[in-house]
């Protein structure tokens, strides 16, 4: 029986940046909550003495994070990335594998929250101890495989060849993975959200606290302010829309197009007061609960966590017909799907949806029910993963 797991997540919240890789934190927490003993590493590059990222010199080697300890072994991250990302992976593989060997009891299985750096970086450890390796694919290294530098691509290939399972967050991503690795290794294991964490019965009170009119329609964007998330389409339509009873809220974690977004809001009829970065998970859940519509006009996605969160909060979704989004959202039933890069379709959908509160409520309710029926919760995630773990009880790394 698999009872002890080592989890690696190079993207994981820490005291310097508590917002990066929240989905990885929830993966680890769900495994722990299911009864597994989980040792967690979130490796960090050596930080420069001054300048950008120098604050990471203050990061402790071990910190408690929402119920479990996270270890931060260091490795050399060489710049420029486009030339030396492969060598960074080698440093990760040497230093992190040695740290794990010296620090933790031998696990029954290793779960890497990304194919690279995490999966490749723990290959030496898994080989030395003959431990199965599961890697999670969120999309980047599969969807951008042909664009990877040759050295990085070879390391990704090595990881896929050696690993025991590739856990893909969507069916579309699993289909792509099967073109790079044997089909029997590939599994679709969606992540999710926990409906109980979204206080939908307190929406009126939350609106008062957040300064939102009781009758306003709240259209919420959550994601990086960048092209991939469809910000160019948003900035195109905002100055053209006339929706007097609609309040737009933008929550992001950086991005090159924040200034363009704020300029578009200044030219529009909408307030620019609700543009936020770096808010807490609790605050995000409050906004998702208050929102009537999640607006996510992305150009590329796997299965966005925020769509699961919107479904948990009974919030309708306006998304694009790409990747795993169309697996999450049933067009016309739990939300509306448009084609990516289509600013006209985005404007039309916003005008139609934000002026029909009854339809938004129905879509949101249907989405919540779909989330529950499909088992797209963190408890459901842990159950599915543990069933796959059981298949490798007593087995070693793929030969």
């Amino acid at each position: 029986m698999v009872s002890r797991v080592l989890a690696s997540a190079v993207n994981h919240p820490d005291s310097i940046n508590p917002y990066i890789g929240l989905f990885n934190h929830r993966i680890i927490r769900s495994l722990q909550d299911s009864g597994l003993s989980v040792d967690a590493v979130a490796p960090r590059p050596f930080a420069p003495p001054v300048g950008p990222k120098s604050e990471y010199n203050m990061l402790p080697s071990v910190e408690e994070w929402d119920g479990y300890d996270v270890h931060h072994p260091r490795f050399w991250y060489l710049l420029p990335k486009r030339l030396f990302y492969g060598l960074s992976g080698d440093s990760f593989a040497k230093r992190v594998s040695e740290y794990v060997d010296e620090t933790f009891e031998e696990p029954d299985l290793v779960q890497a929250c990304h194919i690279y750096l995490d999966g490749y970086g723990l290959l030496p450890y898994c080989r030395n101890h003959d431990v199965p390796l599961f890697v999670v694919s969120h999309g980047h290294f599969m969807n951008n495989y042909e664009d990877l530098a040759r050295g990085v691509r070879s390391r990704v290939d090595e990881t896929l060849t050696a690993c025991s399972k590739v856990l893909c967050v969507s069916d579309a991503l699993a289909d792509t993975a099967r073109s790079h690795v044997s089909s029997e290794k590939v599994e679709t294991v969606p992540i999710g959200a926990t409906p109980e964490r979204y206080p939908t019965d307190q929406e009126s009170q939350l609106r008062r606290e957040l300064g939102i009119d009781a009758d306003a329609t709240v259209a919420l964007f959550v994601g990086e302010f960048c092209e991939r998330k469809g910000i160019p389409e948003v900035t195109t339509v905002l100055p053209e829309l006339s929706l007097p009873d609609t309040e737009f809220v933008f929550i992001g974690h950086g991005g090159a197009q924040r200034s363009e977004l704020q300029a578009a809001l200044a030219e529009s009829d909408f307030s620019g007061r609700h543009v936020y970065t770096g808010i807490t998970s609790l605050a995000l859940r409050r906004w998702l609960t208050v929102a009537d519509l999640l607006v996510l006009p992305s150009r590329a996605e796997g299965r966005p966590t925020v769509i699961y969160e919107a479904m948990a909060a009974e919030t309708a979704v306006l998304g694009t017909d790409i990747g795993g989004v169309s697996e999450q959202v049933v067009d016309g039933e739990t939300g509306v799907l448009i084609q990516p890069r289509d600013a006209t379709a985005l404007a039309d959908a916003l005008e139609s949806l934000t002026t029909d509160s009854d339809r938004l409520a129905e879509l949101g309710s249907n989405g919540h029910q779909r989330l529950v029926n499909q088992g797209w919760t963190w408890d459901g995630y842990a159950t599915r993963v543990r069933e796959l773990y059981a298949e490798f009880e007593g087995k070693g790394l793929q030969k």
Side-chain angles (χ1 to χ4, degrees):
M1 177 181 180
V2 173
S3 62
R4 190 177 195 91
V5 173
L6 170 68
S8 177
V10 70
N11 288 323
H12 185 286
D14 58 41
S15 53
I16 305 297
N17 185 351
Y19 310 107
I20 184 173
L22 283 169
F23 48 85
N24 288 329
H25 156 58
R26 289 164 187 153
I27 284 175
I28 294 171
R29 183 60 191 267
S30 74
L31 296 177
Q32 184 189 55
D33 288 346
S34 76
L36 291 171
S37 176
V38 183
D39 294 314
V41 292
R44 293 290 178 264
F46 285 106
V50 295
K53 306 297 183 181
S54 61
E55 65 271 21
Y56 274 93
N57 283 307
M58 298 182 290
L59 186 69
S61 59
V62 183
E63 58 182 346
E64 191 275 336
W65 199 266
D66 191 24
Y68 59 89
D69 287 339
V70 180
H71 291 244
H72 298 302
R74 300 288 182 152
F75 67 100
W76 295 107
Y77 191 98
L78 305 176
L79 297 174
K81 178 179 177 179
R82 72 182 190 287
L83 295 179
F84 298 118
Y85 197 33
L87 294 178
S88 298
D90 293 341
S91 177
F92 187 116
K94 182 179 187 300
R95 299 186 62 89
V96 177
S97 289
E98 289 177 351
Y99 180 93
V100 167
D101 215 2
E102 296 167 357
T103 306
F104 303 113
E105 294 180 33
E106 183 177 317
D108 301 305
L109 184 143
V110 171
Q111 176 154 330
C113 289
H114 298 274
I115 298 171
Y116 192 84
L117 300 157
D118 295 305
Y120 176 77
L122 284 173
L123 272 181
Y125 179 86
C126 292
R127 285 171 171 152
N128 288 340
H129 294 272
D130 198 23
V131 176
L133 172 65
F134 280 36
V135 296
V136 181
S137 178
H138 297 280
H140 174 77
F141 288 102
M142 290 298 183
N143 292 331
N144 300 286
Y145 180 83
E146 299 300 329
D147 296 328
L148 298 175
R150 184 185 303 172
V152 174
R153 192 186 310 168
S154 68
R155 290 165 174 81
V156 168
D157 289 341
E158 182 180 352
T159 306
L160 295 175
T161 299
C163 73
S164 304
K165 283 289 183 182
V166 182
L167 308 183
C168 297
V169 298
S170 71
D171 290 332
L173 190 56
D175 288 341
T176 301
R178 292 186 182 99
S179 67
H180 300 286
V181 67
S182 58
S183 294
E184 62 268 19
K185 287 189 180 184
V186 179
E187 301 284 346
T188 299
V189 185
I191 54 179
T194 303
E196 293 77 17
R197 303 190 75 187
Y198 297 83
T200 54
D201 59 333
Q202 301 175 30
E203 182 178 353
S204 296
Q205 176 185 339
L206 290 175
R207 281 184 173 241
R208 289 194 296 271
E209 292 177 0
L210 294 169
I212 299 294
D213 188 83
D215 297 323
T217 297
V218 177
L220 172 67
F221 171 94
V222 179
E224 187 177 1
F225 301 135
C226 64
E227 288 186 13
R228 186 173 67 86
K229 292 293 185 178
I231 289 296
E233 287 74 59
V234 172
T235 59
T236 296
V237 304
L238 282 175
E240 301 173 356
L241 291 172
S242 179
L243 302 170
D245 297 321
T246 296
E247 188 85 60
F248 279 92
V249 178
F250 295 90
I251 296 174
H253 47 85
Q257 296 195 327
R258 175 172 178 171
S259 59
E260 287 87 342
L261 172 63
Q262 291 180 307
L265 281 168
E267 295 174 11
S268 74
D269 295 334
F270 306 103
S271 170
R273 67 192 177 106
H274 292 306
V275 179
Y276 305 105
T277 58
I279 70 170
T280 66
S281 296
L282 173 62
L284 176 58
R285 290 196 298 273
R286 287 157 62 96
W287 277 113
L288 282 161
T289 299
V290 163
D292 301 286
L293 179 66
L294 175 71
V295 182
L296 195 67
S298 303
R299 298 178 177 185
E301 288 285 4
R303 273 195 186 182
T305 304
V306 70
I307 289 183
Y308 291 121
E309 294 173 331
M311 296 167 83
E314 301 183 20
T315 299
V317 178
L318 170 56
T320 43
D321 190 6
I322 55 169
V325 174
S326 52
E327 299 169 22
Q328 295 171 284
V329 180
V330 181
D331 188 26
E333 182 179 324
T334 68
V336 171
L337 296 177
I338 60 174
Q339 292 303 305
R341 301 175 182 266
D342 191 337
T344 300
L346 176 62
D348 291 344
L350 284 169
E351 290 177 350
S352 172
L353 289 167
T354 58
T355 55
D356 192 341
S357 58
D358 290 340
R359 187 182 182 202
L360 285 175
E362 180 181 5
L363 294 172
S365 177
N366 290 345
H368 182 273
Q369 194 60 50
R370 177 169 169 78
L371 180 87
V372 173
N373 291 345
Q374 295 290 332
W376 290 339
T377 65
W378 285 114
D379 287 344
Y381 175 88
T383 297
R384 283 189 288 270
V385 170
R386 293 195 65 168
E387 289 170 351
L388 294 171
Y389 285 175
E391 298 177 13
F392 289 84
E393 182 180 346
K395 296 182 181 180
L397 188 66
Q398 182 77 28
K399 300 300 184 182

